[in-house]
Amino acid sequence: FCVMAAPGKVAVFRLPPLPTVGEIIKLFRLQALKQLSQNFLLDLRLTDKIVKQAGELKNAHVCEVGPGPGGITRSILSAGVEQLLLIEKDARFIPGLQMLSEAAPGKVRIVHGDILTYKMEKAFPKHLKKNWEDEPPDIHIIGNLPFSVSTPLIIKWLENVSKRSGPFTYGRTQMTLTFQKEVGERLTANPGSKQRSRLSIMAQHLCTVENCFIIPGQAFVPKPEVDVAVVHFTPLVQPKIQQPFELVEKVVRSVFQFRRKYCFRGIETLFPENGRLKRTEQLMMTANVDPTLRPFQLSMSQFRNLCNAYRKMCDEDPSLFVFNYREELRQKKTTGSLLGSTGQPEQTEEENQL
């Protein structure tokens, strides 16, 4: 219900008295499933702090991913949102969420489904759409994600950002999500940092990424073995590397394939064995990248140069982009086993590292 404010003041939304999140867990006999890497956050001061990182939510439309017993859900509703879409895969949590929905009539829509397959491009009203160059739309994605789904989900959403699809058909939709502390550090790592990785480049070339704060593991039930990072994403108007997502992903993945070696070692894997050295040299010279740098030392502009130079080579020879280094290794292994006297091919250093 809405508490009537004094004249001249905006009415503030307040949830009626409800069982605590802990009581909901007991009432519906909810137990975090280890195989789904579930961890409950019961402290409403922390859930309020997470929601605050999303920015101004008054009259906004919010999608919460994996609300579970509804701790963050309460904080989102208390922020005065217009509409809240809850996407929950685990049917055990639905009755507790329906209780919250009844406490906030007309504000909550519950979807029992998997966020990895849910069609987000139809999740919000059409009138909320903004041009990509405009300010972000009044739409936010918030979620305390299970560790098992957080990385594949953010990669999927980064691809959506690149293609302006999914939740980004509405414009530069902002996201506030939780990750294992180490993943949060990778997402925001700068050049030279040992945490710099494929995830760093893919996230930072498409979004402004901010590691907001760390939640200690003991704040969760059950306590995970790691701390948790709250990370905020705002898609950039212009990506830092203006090439298709698949091309950027292939180049970045190849560079980091041998992260402890010089970067040219990973770049070699972009090319077939026949002419590999010559083409690697050509790419690195065109991109003006020092071949003796380690992958984590490369700057965003150096990755942009590598992607642009690789794109030019692919335009000249379209078979390059479909080349698969791992497949070439497998074929060599098969051929070797057919020719070998023992029938047991030796494990190559490349295969060990991969």
Side-chain angles (χ1 to χ4, degrees):
F1 61 86
C2 209
V3 175
M4 293 308 293
K9 292 191 177 180
V10 180
V12 179
F13 181 81
R14 290 275 184 269
L15 283 168
L18 284 165
T20 66
V21 181
E23 286 166 349
I24 291 265
I25 289 169
K26 285 178 185 170
L27 179 66
F28 295 105
R29 296 178 181 175
L30 301 173
Q31 219 173 2
L33 298 180
K34 193 172 182 181
Q35 64 267 35
L36 296 179
S37 57
Q38 292 174 338
N39 302 96
F40 303 150
L41 191 55
L42 308 185
D43 187 337
L44 293 184
R45 289 169 303 177
L46 283 171
T47 61
D48 284 347
K49 194 175 177 185
I50 292 172
V51 170
K52 196 175 179 184
Q53 300 304 318
E56 179 54 62
L57 294 186
K58 183 148 185 64
N59 300 324
H61 287 245
V62 175
C63 171
E64 186 189 353
V65 184
I72 293 177
T73 314
R74 295 175 187 228
S75 296
I76 295 171
L77 286 169
S78 297
V81 297
E82 179 73 21
Q83 285 286 320
L84 174 56
L85 169 63
L86 303 175
I87 301 176
E88 178 54 65
K89 185 178 181 180
D90 192 333
R92 297 174 307 142
F93 297 120
I94 302 297
L97 296 173
Q98 283 171 336
M99 188 182 286
L100 276 175
S101 175
E102 288 160 13
K107 282 189 177 287
V108 180
R109 183 157 59 99
I110 302 169
V111 172
H112 177 213
D114 188 342
I115 188 62
L116 286 167
T117 55
Y118 183 71
K119 303 289 184 193
M120 289 285 282
E121 55 272 5
K122 295 180 181 175
F124 306 103
K126 288 180 182 176
H127 73 265
L128 295 172
K129 286 190 178 184
K130 292 258 188 105
N131 293 324
W132 195 259
E133 297 72 27
D134 294 343
E135 287 297 301
D138 224 359
I139 295 172
H140 298 261
I141 296 171
I142 299 175
N144 173 30
L145 305 175
F147 296 153
S148 59
V149 79
S150 60
T151 303
L153 185 56
I154 195 59
I155 288 289
K156 172 187 162 77
W157 276 340
L158 289 171
E159 183 172 3
N160 287 155
V161 170
S162 175
K163 296 176 179 178
R164 302 181 187 182
S165 61
F168 308 98
T169 54
Y170 297 89
R172 295 184 296 119
T173 300
Q174 297 177 79
M175 302 182 284
T176 308
L177 306 167
T178 61
F179 299 88
Q180 283 176 264
K181 183 185 173 189
E182 187 183 334
V183 177
E185 288 169 348
R186 284 185 204 154
L187 283 161
T188 54
N190 293 317
S193 162
K194 290 292 169 71
Q195 294 285 15
R196 186 83 159 169
S197 67
R198 177 174 71 112
L199 208 50
S200 318
I201 310 302
M202 298 310 295
Q204 293 170 34
H205 107 83
L206 290 162
C207 298
T208 300
V209 191
E210 182 189 356
N211 200 334
C212 304
F213 66 96
I214 302 298
I215 304 175
Q218 62 259 31
F220 293 85
V221 178
K223 177 183 174 296
E225 293 174 7
V226 294
D227 293 338
V228 172
V230 177
V231 184
H232 184 76
F233 302 81
T234 306
L236 294 164
V237 174
Q238 289 290 345
K240 291 179 181 170
I241 304 172
Q242 297 196 25
Q243 294 294 350
F245 182 87
E246 292 82 3
L247 184 141
V248 179
E249 212 265 344
K250 185 178 183 185
V251 171
V252 173
R253 186 178 66 241
S254 297
V255 170
F256 279 101
Q257 202 141 219
F258 300 98
R259 63 174 294 116
R260 289 191 293 272
K261 297 200 170 188
Y262 293 143
C263 64
F264 81 84
R265 182 63 194 88
I267 289 167
E268 283 184 324
T269 66
L270 289 167
F271 304 108
E273 190 171 30
N274 185 18
R276 176 170 288 153
L277 186 59
K278 185 181 175 185
R279 281 173 148 175
T280 301
E281 288 174 353
Q282 180 192 340
L283 176 62
M284 302 216 70
M285 283 181 67
T286 307
N288 192 27
V289 172
D290 180 350
T292 63
L293 288 173
R294 310 283 179 187
F296 62 85
Q297 293 175 307
L298 296 183
S299 67
M300 188 63 76
S301 61
Q302 287 170 317
F303 273 105
R304 180 173 62 238
N305 292 348
L306 287 168
C307 290
N308 291 343
Y310 181 63
R311 169 67 184 269
K312 193 176 177 189
M313 293 172 82
C314 289
D315 287 345
E316 291 165 1
D317 179 3
S319 69
L320 259 190
F321 187 69
V322 295
F323 167 71
N324 186 315
Y325 179 70
R326 288 168 185 257
E327 188 56 42
E328 184 185 74
L329 273 185
R330 275 194 289 270
Q331 287 176 2
K332 277 173 72 176
K333 184 176 176 180
T334 305
T335 308
S337 67
L338 289 171
L339 296 174
S341 56
T342 62
Q344 292 295 319
E346 287 186 22
Q347 192 83 345
T348 64
E349 184 198 356
E350 288 94 335
E351 287 172 306
N352 283 330
Q353 293 229 22
L354 288 171

